[in-house]
Amino acid sequence: MRKIIFLAVMVLAGCLTMPAQSNGFTIELSTVNSLKERENYSEYHGLELNGGYQLNFLNRIYVEPQIGLTWLSHKTGGGVGAVMDENGQLLSANFKTRNISTLGINLGAVGGIKICRAIGLFTGPDVKFDVYSQEHEDKVTSAWWRFGLDVFVWKLRFRGSIGVSMNHPYYEDERNDNYTIGIAYRF
């Protein structure tokens, strides 16, 4: 109980004593991870490197357009050594797991409101355009709507968000939701 009270006091002290953030360029490094495992295109993880410009209004509202690069590694399974009967029915298959990499350009924009000077809630779109894929020849566009939490500490920003899929590029019947955790530096 003492630890919880201590943590609450520290957060409150940070909210009251942090200097207001000014406008500036940001660079952010984030990890991207799938929220749900699927059968064939089961999971993915990767990195995002984004640059943006954070604009602050009225000491509480902020917006930040971003552009960057995204690398994702998809763990996928495929049938290898399938055994069929004389009628063409699958009797057994030996499944092998492999990784497929994609590289994309990431465009996004977030709008947020600071609950206090050190903590903010944000939301906004995030779109990834594949420029390279190991397996798919067609270039895929993926889109998410992000909801998240920012913690501002001087020129650093710690960010966590959930991305709710707005399209399903590989499987129409499944969601492609993800979460990101990142750190940014504001110049």
Side-chain angles (χ1 to χ4, degrees):
M1 185 65 173
R2 287 186 216 174
K3 290 179 183 179
I4 294 173
I5 293 172
F6 176 74
L7 183 61
V9 168
M10 294 303 290
V11 167
L12 183 59
C15 287
L16 298 176
T17 62
M18 292 294 296
Q21 298 281 319
S22 60
N23 298 339
F25 288 99
T26 61
I27 188 160
E28 178 179 6
L29 181 64
S30 302
T31 64
V32 182
N33 299 283
S34 59
L35 276 177
K36 177 182 170 184
E37 290 188 17
R38 290 180 292 278
E39 213 171 288
N40 293 327
Y41 221 75
S42 62
E43 60 185 43
Y44 59 90
H45 61 276
L47 294 173
E48 283 185 354
L49 180 63
N50 291 314
Y53 191 81
Q54 182 176 324
L55 296 164
N56 295 285
F57 304 98
L58 306 172
N59 287 333
R60 293 276 182 220
I61 299 169
Y62 59 98
V63 295
E64 183 179 357
Q66 295 179 328
I67 187 169
L69 294 175
T70 302
W71 167 79
L72 294 177
S73 176
H74 301 266
K75 189 183 290 183
T76 184
V80 177
V83 177
M84 310 283 240
D85 66 9
E86 60 274 354
N87 296 328
Q89 296 294 322
L90 179 66
L91 295 176
S92 68
N94 187 9
F95 286 95
K96 180 181 177 185
T97 301
R98 63 191 183 112
N99 289 326
I100 298 172
S101 293
T102 60
L103 181 66
I105 295 173
N106 191 47
L107 296 175
V110 298
I113 186 162
K114 295 177 184 168
I115 300 170
C116 60
R117 291 186 185 209
I119 298 172
L121 298 174
F122 70 90
T123 187
D126 190 16
V127 180
K128 178 180 158 279
F129 305 96
D130 281 352
V131 293
Y132 168 77
S133 177
Q134 257 180 322
E135 182 161 292
H136 301 287
E137 289 186 22
D138 55 334
K139 303 303 182 233
V140 175
T141 301
S142 304
W144 297 270
W145 194 270
R146 297 220 168 272
F147 299 93
L149 175 74
D150 282 334
V151 177
F152 300 95
V153 180
W154 293 280
K155 290 189 175 247
L156 295 177
R157 177 186 67 215
F158 301 93
R159 174 171 279 178
S161 69
I162 300 286
V164 178
S165 178
M166 295 194 301
N167 71 337
H168 318 291
Y170 298 111
Y171 297 100
E172 286 79 26
D173 60 339
E174 296 189 35
R175 299 197 61 82
N176 192 19
D177 300 343
N178 64 29
Y179 68 94
T180 62
I181 299 172
I183 184 170
Y185 181 79
R186 186 182 46 80
F187 295 96

